[in-house]
Amino acid sequence: MIVPNTVFTRTIASTPTLLILLLVVPVLGGLLGLLLPAFGWLPALNSTEFNLLGFEHLLATPGIERMVLLSFTTSLISTLFAFLITILILASYFNSPWLHRIQRLLGPVLVIPHAAAAIAIGFLITPSGFISRVFSPWLSGWDNPPDWLLPNDPYGLSIILGLTLKELPFLLLIALGVLAQPEIGRTLKAQHKVALSLQYCPMTAFFKVILPTLYGYMRLPILAVLAYSSASVEIPLILGPNTPPTLAVAIMQWFHDPDLSLRIQASSGAILQIAITLLVLATWTLLERLTKKLLLGKLTNGQREVGGMFIKQFTNALTFMMLSMIGFALIAMLLWSFSGFWSFPDLLPQQLVSLHWQSALTQMQAPLWNTLKIALTTALLAIVLTLFVLEAEQQTTKNIAVISGFIIYLPLLVPSIAFLFGLVWVLEQINSQHSFINVVLAHLLFVLPYVFLSLATSYRRLDPRFSAVAASLGASPAKIFWQLKLPLLFAPILIACALGLAISFGQYLPTLLAGAGRLNTITTEAVTLANGASRRTSAVYALVQMLLPALFFLLAWLLPKLFFRASSEDIK
């Protein structure tokens, strides 16, 4: 019940509106700021008449068809691979302790920034990378690095590999999160047991009973993954081809070109990128319908066994191969960061040195401070906004959960490279030169959805009887919130904060665009170094990128234990 005329209740009541404004206005304003230059209206270049010259120049760009095709195919194929592997893992290890072991192994990959993951994969698949060293010369016979095109191959295979390995943990954790919900998980497991009792093999029982229901809960996250991967910049910039690159990378290069007239072409390209993303989403929807039409009859045909043993063995081999690749990539990056002379095909460096770490650490003080300052500010704002909105859900009769549940996905479904360029244009029009504030606002668009989704379940599961008892004893809503609910949510808040920090640490494009290149972070430096700098220095920066989120997740795990231990000792 709301207590009238208090600062706390008024603040809580207004926070949902603020959340909607913070997410909707920058995205819509960014899209508006994209449309005007795309159609020729750019007063800074004395262009105040609407025209289609930007699109004409865009379509006349050499290799534009290849850019579009790369963006479309890499996003669709990588998401399809990630989804299929996720389903195979779930089907093969459903109700098995191995599923949670795989989850613990893949979980840390989720918080690794995309740039760091791309750098690690690059160390693995280059001609002199760790894979060729492991098998040389005893199996391959190579005494010199092989002549292959990975990474930066013209077909986008490296991009597909990088996106798949990054998307897979996310989709797997989303699926496991659905199965962990008491009502859904209990129902699905009961149905699975019934199918087993009817002599269905475990694999067939999963595909016929669990998957049709589970997919409905995974559909929106899958669409978000498709939208992101179609306009991804970090992984294609590091692993993708350069002549031509993907469309998103080309747009970024046009936007930063000294020739300001390319801003119009970049805006037109961003419109085309939105069309590509919509086409990818439409293609996925069409594939859904075709799959449903083709396989619907097989759900009820009574067949108990559909190659279950073969699929399980294939999944075992595939899972082992993926985990091995991730492990080899991390080992290779660690070795390169300490390596001295390392000739091919030696598996290990001839000497290990700390010179690269010493040199990099002296140079990264300013980027590291900027990274921490931006991430801490963004995560704190996201936590406060999320907590206040979730409290407003319980104090008001408005259907805030439905509104916030839709709005919260908006920055994830709209291609970031599209609305961020427009947002930069809007910031230029209002002459906003506060780089730090601009970057924090841009990061908040991507951090807030993940923090909200992380905290919402825990907050909504709080037993309302605690609040009812406290209110019956005369406690105000403010006191119940600060002294009852927040201590009960101490651990989930820390996990959500660590997740928000990890998302902020990995933001490349928002930092580069909103900061106008004035604020260097660990991620922007790592991406720059990955394109032409020393492998050893790139490895150091990529490892620091990984260590930052790992450190804060470790703190999020330790602090509740220390907090509750201290509280129990005080009670004694």
Side-chain angles (χ1 to χ4, degrees), residues 22-342:
L22 282 174
L23 294 178
V24 173
V25 171
V27 174
L28 295 185
L31 292 176
L32 177 63
L34 178 70
L35 285 170
L36 295 178
F39 288 95
W41 197 84
L42 192 60
L45 297 179
N46 296 320
S47 177
T48 55
E49 293 183 2
F50 291 104
N51 55 65
L52 298 176
L53 290 178
F55 290 98
E56 292 176 5
H57 293 157
L58 175 67
L59 297 177
T61 302
I64 185 65
E65 301 88 352
R66 188 70 183 170
M67 298 178 192
V68 172
L69 185 62
L70 274 173
S71 300
F72 177 83
T73 55
T74 55
S75 59
L76 186 63
I77 294 173
S78 63
T79 305
L80 181 61
F81 281 174
F83 171 71
L84 291 177
I85 296 171
T86 298
I87 296 305
L88 288 175
I89 291 174
L90 289 171
S92 298
Y93 305 113
F94 190 71
N95 283 336
S96 166
W98 275 103
L99 186 58
H100 298 287
R101 293 170 189 167
I102 295 171
Q103 177 188 1
R104 285 196 294 269
L105 290 171
L106 289 178
V109 180
L110 181 62
V111 299
I112 295 177
H114 285 80
I119 292 171
I121 293 169
F123 285 137
L124 190 66
I125 63 176
T126 53
S128 60
F130 207 65
I131 286 182
S132 59
R133 290 175 183 272
V134 167
F135 297 105
S136 299
W138 64 274
L139 182 61
S140 65
W142 294 329
D143 291 319
N144 295 304
D147 185 17
W148 64 41
L149 295 176
L150 300 177
N152 310 124
D153 63 282
Y155 305 106
L157 300 178
S158 306
I159 301 175
I160 292 172
L161 176 62
L163 288 173
T164 300
L165 290 178
K166 273 298 295 175
E167 293 164 357
L168 172 62
F170 175 71
L171 293 181
L172 183 61
L173 292 177
I174 287 291
L176 292 174
V178 172
L179 294 174
Q181 297 181 31
E183 301 83 1
I184 301 172
R186 192 182 305 115
T187 301
L188 291 179
K189 288 178 181 178
Q191 292 174 350
H192 190 260
K193 288 181 179 179
V194 171
L196 294 179
S197 69
L198 296 174
Q199 305 303 313
Y200 282 86
C201 80
M203 191 77 64
T204 306
F206 179 88
F207 286 123
K208 292 192 173 186
V209 176
I210 305 296
L211 183 57
T213 302
L214 179 63
Y215 182 79
Y217 294 96
M218 294 181 63
R219 191 170 187 270
L220 192 55
I222 290 173
L223 296 180
V225 167
L226 281 166
Y228 169 81
S229 59
S230 67
S232 174
V233 171
E234 296 96 321
I235 289 180
L237 185 61
I238 296 172
L239 296 178
N242 299 314
T243 52
T246 61
L247 182 61
V249 173
I251 294 169
M252 186 193 69
Q253 293 170 349
W254 296 333
F255 190 84
H256 284 94
D257 196 282
D259 184 1
L260 294 180
S261 64
L262 287 177
R263 287 281 189 98
I264 296 177
Q265 183 172 321
S267 298
S268 303
I271 298 293
L272 179 58
Q273 181 63 66
I274 294 176
I276 293 172
T277 300
L278 292 175
L279 180 60
V280 170
L281 297 177
T283 303
W284 186 270
T285 304
L286 179 61
L287 288 174
E288 286 178 349
R289 294 181 179 179
L290 288 175
T291 304
K292 181 178 179 180
K293 186 175 182 179
L294 292 173
L295 300 181
L296 186 61
K298 296 185 180 299
L299 293 178
T300 57
N301 63 3
Q303 191 171 352
R304 263 65 171 171
E305 171 68 42
V306 187
M309 186 57 65
F310 171 78
I311 295 175
K312 186 173 181 62
Q313 291 176 351
F314 174 77
T315 306
N316 290 341
L318 188 62
T319 305
F320 176 77
M321 183 176 67
M322 285 190 309
L323 294 176
S324 299
M325 288 185 66
I326 293 170
F328 282 151
L330 296 177
I331 292 171
M333 190 161 56
L334 184 63
L335 288 174
W336 273 110
S337 71
F338 285 103
S339 70
F341 181 71
W342 192 0

